[in-house]
Amino acid sequence: MGLLPVSKYFPPDGREVIADLITAARSGRGGAVVVRGEAGTGKTTLLRHALAGQDGMRVLWVNGAEFEADFAYAGVHRLTLPLHDRLGRLPARQGEDLSVAFGLGEGSAPSQFAVALALLRLLSEAASQGPVACVVDDAQWLDRASAQVLAFAARRIDAEPIAIVFGLRDPHGVDELDGLPELALSGLSDQAARDLLASRVPVPLDDQVRERILAEARGNPLALLELPRRLGPAGLAGGFGLPTPASPANRIEQSYRERVSQLSPEARTLLLIAAAEPLGDPGLLWRAADLLGVQSQAGPEAEEEGLIELGGRCRFRHPLVRSAVYAAASIADRRLVHGALAEVTDPGTDPDRRSWHRSQAAPRPDEDVAADLLRSAERARRRGGAAAEAAFLEQAASLTPDPRLRVTRSLAAARAALEAGAFETAVTLVEAAENGPIDDAGRVQAELARGQAAFFGNDAADAVGHLIRAAELDPGRARLYLLDALQAGLVVGRSSPAERTALQAARRAPAAQGERSGADELLDALVAYLDGDLTAVPVLSRLLSDVADPMWTRRLSLAALLAVELWDFALEERLAAHAVAAARTSGALVILPVGLWMQAMAAAQRGDLISASALLSEADGIAKVTGVPVHWYGHLQTAALRGRPAEARPLIDRVLAESRARRKGWLTATAHSAAAFYANGVADHHAALEWARLALADGDLSTTSLALPELVEAAVRCGKDAVAREAFARLDEHARVAGTDWALGVRASLGALLSHEPEALHAEAVARLAASGMRAWHGRALLHQGVWLRRNGRRREALDALRAAHDLFTTMGAEGFAERARAELAAAGEQAKAATTGVLEALTGQELNIARLVATGATSREVADRLFLSPRTIDAHLRNIFKKLDITSRRQLTEIFAQAI
């Protein structure tokens, strides 16, 4: 493609995207882009042109390899090979994490977050010597662990002199890269295509042939280069006809197959060896070739055909050459080549690649090969590569001669796949196990795996049935499984058949045997509470108070539901804080963002919108990389309290649409509750009444504390006295049993709205809610008290209460409630300023999160470790923060936060 100026191949905006990225990196501003396009559209060519002649910029380049997709961190390992001499310059733990992940050293398995942060530090350290460009071509074939940590790093280099470019072949997708800036390459313009074709065909071309080539190539540059090769001189002259239309990529690959078929058998074998070994190590290639009797002249023959380069590292001209070579070979030839590669691969330095080649060479089940794969799976587990472990276990199962042992290994592979978040793969492995001689214990594991895959794969309703069947098969652990079924049912929603089925099964649970465990108590108390027995509340509170109990590790959703349902704000915060701390220690990819979202919701309920926004930013950033679905509860609570129509209403509508599509009744009820809270805040009490009724319709957990108070106030303001009193009677009963300051304070505040002698109730509400730390409800209690005092002619006292309410709402950024308080102050004869945006509102979510942590006294390095960023990035953000806030020191930042919270 070098015969035409690059400008003829790529539109100016495409070239500018890459050029701007490189220029920004040279000036210290990092960034990433995903270059998408069909095979042959010139992604690689564009990147090579853009990086050519970039003096002083270090270029790291790796091509994703289809055959390496089962090796954890293989892509990152190869990308960073030139930097491995710098591992010793990293903090000791981070250097160890990368060494273990790459199989270069021994140690405890690092979490993917730890590997991602260590990778970021390694790239940052390299960039301290000059700008760095990382090119990850054919990213669709990256192993999942590499895709996750590279995507993580790509989102955290904005203050680093680093550019990361991913080349991605359409129509493939890589979930981890979703959301990164994209550059889509399409086919050449008609004139550029004609110019390219003319430049590569040295003989006169029949007009009909030319038009047919152009039509078939559809502007694909590589197709325009390869199709004339395929036709040959006779075909170019006339009588041209291509086979059944297919995509350009398929036609290009077929062209390569035909070219390969014209080579000598030895040259074809050499290409097949290279295709089967993605490392590109020429020593390995020629050792395998020698073993198979391939003569040295096979190399020049393949190179002269323009299919491969056999220099310092073997590289195919195009990835389609590799796939064409491998696909064209017979199964017997592939096995022969993999066998030779296994023979020449050092079992001491690269045992996993050797075991993988052995597995591909095995013509039938072989226990020795399967055992070798099991050892590789264990090594993958120690490196923290659950996806690689699952792949090795799956291959081991397929090569296991003993049918019963094959079932056991398939279930083990399913377990690893679940840990890696590969839910569809896990179900496929379970199906394979169920097709064998599976015993009852295996059936239990199969049902549990299916249930876990369904629950975390957003089909909690389906999870219920699998967990109940597991309970039926294993009476000894039935109560545990039924507890999980009940959790899944509650997430689906109280009105769902799944929840009713789970509750019915839980009612029939066998009695606990021997000493009752916490899980036994929880199951019985939860069933009793769901059946309306409020005497279960003290038991539930006691069990929840032991936040470190492992019982809650797998039941974080249930714990969060119950803490809010029982009006225990302090317990909700403790549960969330423990979950986050434990997840940071263990590197749990699923639990950490969920715990952060819980903390954000608690912060919003406390009225600390600054912390809530920062926590949401942190959680969302982690979720983008890990693929964890967003939990909307904290987002809803924050938007509802802030009270901005342009923010709250679209979010509520979006979440309601998603919750209905995903059959999550609890999420629907939470969205309705948030809508009622928001509507009361902006004094739209008729809307609040309808939203609250919807939220309470099915009796979902958490609505007692979130929606019932909104229904009472809305009904009072709308003159629906009977509705208000009926709802208050229910609230009164639950609040008395809960006994927390939150519960009793809300009871007193709303009871005052219905009482003929409300003064004492107003005073009690203000005192209790101030003690509870629930600043939003404290402000509401003051507002209710001030309104009553004003209407009873006690202007001075009313002004005191209303000023306090207005100050609280304004400080926390609750604009709707602040406006209500301002209007009441105006009615009392005092003009208060309208709610204004606080100084911290000028910060982005990321900046707010960094500022919040720095304000607590954390160093740049500590904040970097917490947020999976580099210290240089933290310092760059701090400079922007100081500029926006017009301050010059961390001490001033601490003072601003002290005033804002």
Side-chain angles (χ1 to χ4, degrees):
M1 295 178 67
L3 296 180
L4 286 179
V6 70
S7 59
K8 288 213 173 186
Y9 292 97
F10 309 110
D13 57 346
R15 300 196 310 278
E16 288 169 4
V17 167
I18 304 299
D20 289 349
L21 189 70
I22 299 301
T23 300
R26 284 187 170 281
S27 63
R29 301 189 316 278
V33 68
V34 178
V35 181
R36 302 185 64 100
E38 188 181 59
T41 50
K43 300 181 295 297
T44 303
T45 301
L46 171 62
L47 298 178
R48 292 196 186 282
H49 274 292
L51 292 168
Q54 293 290 343
D55 295 335
M57 171 169 272
R58 183 162 202 166
V59 178
L60 306 175
W61 190 302
V62 68
N63 284 77
E66 193 171 5
F67 303 119
E68 278 197 321
D70 293 339
F71 291 84
Y73 302 114
V76 174
H77 186 183
R78 289 195 290 119
L79 178 72
T80 60
L81 272 173
L83 306 181
H84 285 187
D85 60 337
R86 297 173 179 264
L87 291 177
R89 302 183 190 181
L90 301 182
R93 179 57 189 271
Q94 293 180 348
E96 178 184 330
D97 286 338
L98 284 182
S99 294
V100 172
F102 295 160
L104 303 175
E106 295 294 326
S108 58
S111 70
Q112 283 190 326
F113 284 143
V115 175
L117 183 57
L119 170 64
L120 185 61
R121 290 287 174 84
L122 181 62
L123 294 176
S124 178
E125 202 283 329
S128 67
Q129 306 299 314
V132 174
C134 299
V135 179
V136 184
D137 210 357
D138 285 314
Q140 72 277 359
W141 288 331
L142 278 177
D143 61 279
R144 187 160 186 254
S146 288
Q148 285 184 323
V149 299
L150 284 168
F152 200 100
R155 291 181 169 89
R156 284 162 171 77
I157 55 172
D158 53 325
E160 302 282 350
I162 300 172
I164 301 182
V165 184
F166 298 92
L168 187 60
R169 182 190 299 183
D170 283 335
H172 299 279
V174 178
D175 292 343
E176 289 80 4
L177 303 183
D178 288 349
L180 289 175
E182 287 195 357
L183 168 62
L185 295 185
S186 56
L188 301 180
S189 68
D190 181 69
Q191 188 57 54
R194 291 176 184 278
D195 290 346
L196 176 60
L197 183 60
S199 74
R200 300 310 296 265
V201 179
V203 298
L205 195 59
D206 180 85
D207 287 343
Q208 291 185 341
V209 173
R210 179 189 302 106
E211 295 306 315
R212 186 64 188 273
I213 292 176
L214 290 168
E216 291 290 339
R218 290 186 291 183
N220 185 292
L222 190 58
L224 288 164
L225 299 181
E226 291 300 324
L227 289 175
R229 285 178 179 264
R230 179 178 165 191
L231 291 170
L236 292 171
F240 169 63
L242 286 176
T244 304
S247 73
N250 289 339
R251 287 194 293 274
I252 297 166
E253 186 170 338
Q254 180 59 35
S255 175
Y256 283 134
R257 287 191 192 188
E258 292 176 3
R259 289 169 62 185
V260 169
S261 70
Q262 303 303 312
L263 298 175
S264 67
E266 289 192 345
R268 292 201 302 272
T269 300
L270 185 68
L271 286 173
L272 182 56
I273 297 170
E277 178 43 65
L279 283 181
D281 181 347
L284 198 64
L285 173 76
W286 285 109
R287 288 198 299 274
D290 289 343
L291 195 63
L292 295 175
V294 175
Q295 300 300 310
S296 58
Q297 61 266 26
E301 181 184 352
E303 285 188 297
E304 287 171 5
E305 184 60 24
L307 298 172
I308 196 170
E309 297 174 10
L310 298 173
R313 188 160 291 275
C314 305
R315 187 171 67 189
F316 283 99
R317 178 190 179 188
H318 190 278
L320 287 177
V321 179
R322 181 191 296 276
S323 57
V325 168
Y326 198 80
S330 67
I331 294 176
D333 285 343
R334 291 182 203 167
R335 286 176 176 157
L336 187 68
V337 162
H338 281 294
L341 285 166
E343 187 72 22
V344 300
T345 299
D346 189 331
T349 60
D350 204 353
D352 298 335
R353 203 170 300 278
R354 179 176 181 273
S355 69
W356 184 81
H357 281 306
R358 289 187 72 200
S359 71
Q360 299 302 307
R364 61 182 181 181
D366 185 319
E367 180 57 29
D368 182 57
V369 176
D372 202 7
L373 288 164
L374 291 178
R375 288 188 286 272
S376 290
E378 178 58 29
R379 283 189 291 270
R381 185 167 188 81
R382 290 200 299 268
R383 292 196 298 270
E389 180 194 9
F392 281 122
L393 286 171
E394 180 178 7
Q395 190 72 7
S398 69
L399 290 173
T400 300
D402 185 332
R404 295 185 182 279
L405 196 54
R406 189 184 312 128
V407 167
T408 300
R409 290 170 177 172
S410 293
L411 292 173
R415 183 264 311 152
L418 287 172
E419 290 183 15
F423 303 125
E424 292 182 5
T425 298
V427 171
T428 299
L429 288 163
V430 167
E431 291 172 348
E434 290 171 334
N435 287 329
I438 190 170
D439 57 16
D440 284 346
R443 289 190 182 90
V444 171
Q445 291 182 53
E447 293 292 356
L448 291 176
R450 286 182 179 275
Q452 187 177 348
F455 185 77
F456 289 107
N458 282 328
D459 193 358
D462 193 42
V464 169
H466 293 299
L467 293 166
I468 290 175
R469 283 191 287 276
E472 293 169 347
L473 289 166
D474 187 359
R477 297 176 63 84
R479 294 174 64 83
L480 278 175
Y481 305 151
L482 291 173
L483 182 57
D484 290 334
L486 197 51
Q487 173 183 235
L490 290 169
V491 168
V492 180
R494 293 296 305 274
S495 67
S496 68
E499 199 281 337
R500 292 194 292 272
T501 299
L503 184 55
Q504 290 168 2
R507 290 188 186 116
R508 300 191 303 268
Q513 301 297 314
E515 185 177 353
R516 284 167 57 82
S517 67
D520 289 324
E521 288 188 275
L522 176 59
L523 179 64
D524 292 338
L526 184 56
V527 169
Y529 183 79
L530 294 172
D531 285 339
D533 183 359
L534 296 186
T535 63
V537 168
V539 179
L540 292 172
S541 295
R542 173 174 55 80
L543 293 170
L544 275 171
S545 65
D546 187 3
V547 298
D549 190 328
M551 171 177 67
W552 299 115
T553 302
R554 292 174 49 243
R555 301 179 180 91
L556 197 53
S557 295
L558 181 59
L561 271 171
L562 288 174
V564 177
E565 175 71 12
L566 301 182
W567 301 77
D568 199 330
F569 168 73
L571 183 55
E572 180 188 7
E573 285 205 306
R574 287 171 51 211
L575 281 163
H578 181 270
V580 168
R584 289 193 191 283
T585 300
S586 65
L589 299 181
V590 174
I591 300 300
L592 181 54
V594 175
L596 289 168
W597 281 315
M598 282 179 62
Q599 284 189 315
M601 183 167 181
Q605 290 172 323
R606 187 175 64 243
D608 183 358
L609 290 178
I610 293 172
S611 293
S613 297
L615 288 162
L616 290 172
S617 174
E618 183 178 355
D620 291 350
I622 295 170
K624 283 181 181 178
V625 179
T626 60
V628 175
V630 174
H631 286 218
W632 292 110
Y633 315 110
H635 289 274
L636 287 166
Q637 194 75 18
T638 299
L641 178 55
R642 190 171 282 126
R644 297 173 183 168
E647 176 185 350
R649 290 308 303 267
L651 176 64
I652 291 167
D653 292 343
R654 174 184 177 179
V655 174
L656 285 173
E658 181 177 321
S659 65
R660 290 162 182 157
R662 289 164 54 189
R663 296 189 298 166
K664 287 200 170 183
W666 172 36
L667 181 55
T668 301
T670 304
H672 286 152
S673 298
F677 185 95
Y678 159 75
N680 271 332
V682 297
D684 186 357
H685 301 299
H686 288 284
L689 182 64
E690 294 309 310
W691 286 120
R693 279 174 164 162
L694 288 171
L696 291 160
D698 299 319
D700 287 287
L701 289 187
S702 79
T703 55
T704 300
S705 62
L706 296 182
L708 198 54
E710 305 309 325
L711 178 61
V712 175
E713 177 169 359
V716 169
R717 304 300 182 197
C718 293
K720 305 285 187 181
D721 188 69
V723 174
R725 291 188 181 281
E726 181 183 353
F728 181 78
R730 180 180 164 194
L731 184 149
D732 179 58
E733 183 181 24
H734 280 264
R736 288 178 184 275
V737 173
T740 65
D741 281 327
W742 175 15
L744 296 177
V746 171
R747 171 192 168 275
S749 185
L750 296 175
L753 300 182
L754 294 165
S755 174
H756 296 297
E757 296 182 359
E759 186 164 5
L761 288 171
H762 280 307
E764 178 189 352
V766 170
R768 285 190 179 277
L769 290 166
S772 74
M774 303 287 287
R775 295 167 69 218
W777 265 107
H778 181 206
R780 292 177 75 170
L782 285 165
L783 178 60
H784 295 163
Q785 183 186 47
V787 171
W788 177 78
L789 288 167
R790 179 183 65 78
R791 291 176 179 174
N792 282 271
R794 296 162 63 173
R795 181 175 177 276
R796 182 173 299 174
E797 295 169 278
L799 286 173
D800 288 342
L802 292 172
R803 286 191 200 106
H806 185 264
D807 288 346
L808 261 176
F809 291 134
T810 301
T811 300
M812 72 178 75
E815 296 177 12
F817 281 108
E819 180 58 25
R820 279 184 60 184
R822 189 196 64 79
E824 290 295 339
L825 277 170
E830 180 170 298
Q831 295 300 317
K833 291 182 179 180
T836 56
T837 300
V839 64
L840 292 172
E841 291 282 348
L843 304 183
T844 66
Q846 181 76 295
E847 290 170 346
L848 186 59
N849 208 8
I850 291 169
R852 179 179 65 92
L853 294 173
V854 170
T856 66
T859 66
S860 293
R861 185 169 293 279
E862 289 169 341
V863 176
D865 288 342
R866 165 74 178 267
L867 301 182
F868 305 100
L869 296 167
S870 71
R872 184 187 292 132
T873 298
I874 299 300
D875 289 337
H877 279 301
L878 275 176
R879 288 192 291 272
N880 288 334
I881 291 166
F882 285 1
K883 183 177 181 180
K884 286 183 178 181
L885 302 183
D886 194 23
I887 60 176
T888 57
S889 72
R890 295 178 180 230
R891 178 184 57 78
Q892 290 174 290
L893 190 60
T894 301
E895 292 171 354
I896 289 176
F897 269 83
Q899 294 168 4
I901 297 176

